[in-house]
Amino acid sequence: MERGLAIIDRAALAHNLSRVRQLAPGREVFAAVKADGYGHGAGVVAATLAAAGCDGFAVSSLDEALQLRWAGISQPIMTLSQPLGADVLAVMGEHDITPVVFERAHLTALAAYRGPTLGAWIKLDSGMHRLGFPAYEAEALSAAIHDMPSVTLAGCMTHLGCADDPSDPLTHHQLACFDEALAGIAVPRSIANSAGVIAWPASHGDRVRPGIMLYGSSPMVDRTSHDLDLAPVMHLSAPLISRRDLGAGEPIGYGASWHTPEPMPVGVIGIGYGDGYPRHAPSGTPVLIGDAIVPLVGRVSMDMITVDLRNAPHAAIGDRATLWGPGLPADDVAHAAGTIAYELFCRLTPRVRFEVQ
Ligand SMILES: *Cc1c(COP(=O)(O)O)cnc(C)c1O
């Protein structure tokens, strides 16, 4: 019997890519597959999306880019937050990896670089104030890259800080800032993450960079994955390994943080924070057995969680519980646990077995 098992549904990935295409028709799609494909396995995710026609991939670092190259991915790959020095640029040239430039020191390294031509993207800060040059420097930066012997300007990009909330004024401000900065430069533009793809058509530019929506979760504060017709790619399940019938007023688990309100069946599921299930998930966090929600009760342990089986009184040892996946959106579990689906996915540990479907 498998313990924690994550099944990766390739058809769901392809479906979600088609949703990106419907929402942002005609734009280049660069799938964000950083952090091991948001914990889904970057190799299988990238290969599946490439076969479905994805134009390229966005990763965090050179290491992540090289892992995709070693996995046989031949599409363009851009690094989103890789510092650029001489050694890094030499490897990027050799493996045809696209640098994103976000610090002045990177320009010095690019100017000194000699090798296969690198098409660099300039990252502009349009108001999120995380990475990027002040947007008003776009023309000067473009001119500087123009003078470099082995580097061309492939495009300009920025990142949105509040696109998940359609009522947040910052996105309007960021889009206007970016537009104004690039008014005099004809270069490809890239702005949109998943929330931009979904809610901000003006952010679609030439290249969109969706991540979380490809994995089937909603980035929006006001819309669910169901509303958006996104299919869950990961199905995380674990078996019921024990069950017992307890009387009223009995404590459950470490710290006795929960007590049975009445005589009831309690189940034990073989997954815990040692597998990446969030330890801070409180009593009441949804877990699914069959069609029944069996809420988490008591504290999450390293190897186990305990659940209230009153909704599934006939659940038997060996039955599999869904922690998230079809029938139980990761967004719902994340909401209950005070986090986001991105983090749930990224935190799974090597103890979880992965299977591709
Ligand atoms: C991670 C990331 C994305 C994708 O974001 P999602 O919210 O997962 O769609 C896009 N652009 C940049 C710069 C990122 O770091």
Side-chain angles (χ1 to χ4, degrees):
M1 188 193 318
E2 303 294 343
R3 282 182 43 92
L5 173 67
I7 297 178
I8 303 303
D9 181 348
R10 283 181 295 177
L13 262 175
H15 168 81
N16 297 334
L17 176 62
S18 76
R19 291 292 295 133
V20 173
R21 296 256 184 238
Q22 285 166 1
L23 289 159
R27 316 305 164 108
E28 264 193 324
V29 179
F30 269 54
V33 296
K34 58 204 189 198
D36 198 22
Y38 290 42
H40 290 62
V44 64
V45 167
T48 304
L49 291 172
C54 192
D55 300 289
F57 298 97
V59 294
S60 171
S61 64
L62 175 59
D63 276 355
E64 290 185 342
L66 290 175
Q67 275 166 27
L68 290 185
R69 285 284 178 260
W70 293 327
I73 299 298
S74 58
Q75 280 75 13
I77 302 174
M78 68 198 300
T79 58
L80 297 171
S81 50
Q82 170 66 57
L84 307 174
D87 297 356
V88 164
L89 291 174
V91 178
M92 285 186 159
E94 188 183 337
H95 294 276
D96 192 19
I97 290 161
T98 301
V100 169
V101 187
F102 54 86
E103 272 293 324
R104 233 157 282 284
H106 303 173
L107 293 169
T108 314
L110 283 163
Y113 167 79
R114 300 291 181 279
T117 301
L118 285 169
W121 280 70
I122 294 175
K123 175 80 171 263
L124 298 175
D125 175 13
S126 57
M128 181 180 179
H129 301 328
R130 190 176 61 178
L131 283 189
F133 296 94
Y136 59 78
E137 291 186 19
E139 283 198 46
L141 292 163
S142 162
I145 289 184
H146 192 79
D147 290 338
M148 298 178 183
S150 301
V151 184
T152 58
L153 178 59
C156 287
M157 63 180 284
T158 192
H159 194 48
L160 301 173
C162 298
D164 57 327
D165 181 352
S167 69
D168 197 301
L170 181 65
T171 306
H172 295 286
H173 169 83
Q174 287 199 262
L175 293 173
C177 171
F178 190 66
D179 251 14
E180 189 184 317
L182 296 185
I185 320 171
V187 285
R189 301 174 181 202
S190 178
I191 308 166
N193 53 6
S194 297
V197 168
I198 291 163
W200 302 91
S203 75
H204 290 176
D206 298 283
R207 170 181 299 187
V208 296
R209 310 185 306 269
I212 197 71
M213 70 182 292
L214 291 169
Y215 305 97
S217 279
S218 170
M220 306 304 300
V221 296
D222 61 340
R223 282 196 273 175
T224 66
S225 52
H226 181 262
D227 297 338
L228 296 166
D229 184 21
L230 299 171
V233 172
M234 182 189 294
H235 181 187
L236 180 66
S237 69
L240 185 68
I241 61 170
S242 184
R243 54 165 296 157
R244 67 199 51 230
D245 292 295
L246 292 173
E250 298 293 341
I252 307 286
Y254 286 121
S257 68
W258 198 84
H259 289 76
T260 54
E262 61 180 357
M264 59 179 279
V266 171
V268 180
I269 309 229
I271 197 164
Y273 64 80
D275 304 278
Y277 190 86
R279 199 191 81 90
H280 50 277
S283 292
T285 300
V287 174
L288 192 71
I289 292 185
D291 294 335
I293 295 285
V294 291
L296 182 74
V297 292
R299 281 196 197 150
V300 172
S301 306
M302 185 183 287
D303 310 317
M304 290 166 268
I305 57 174
T306 35
V307 296
D308 171 354
L309 284 180
R310 281 176 293 179
N311 290 335
H314 304 298
I317 289 176
D319 285 359
R320 292 199 74 84
T322 293
L323 290 314
W324 53 75
L328 180 55
D331 293 325
D332 293 2
V333 179
H335 182 76
T339 184
I340 51 179
Y342 301 72
E343 189 187 20
L344 294 183
F345 296 149
C346 286
R347 284 212 159 187
L348 292 184
T349 71
R351 192 160 76 176
V352 175
R353 209 172 83 82
F354 274 69
E355 206 173 279
V356 175
Q357 193 175 71

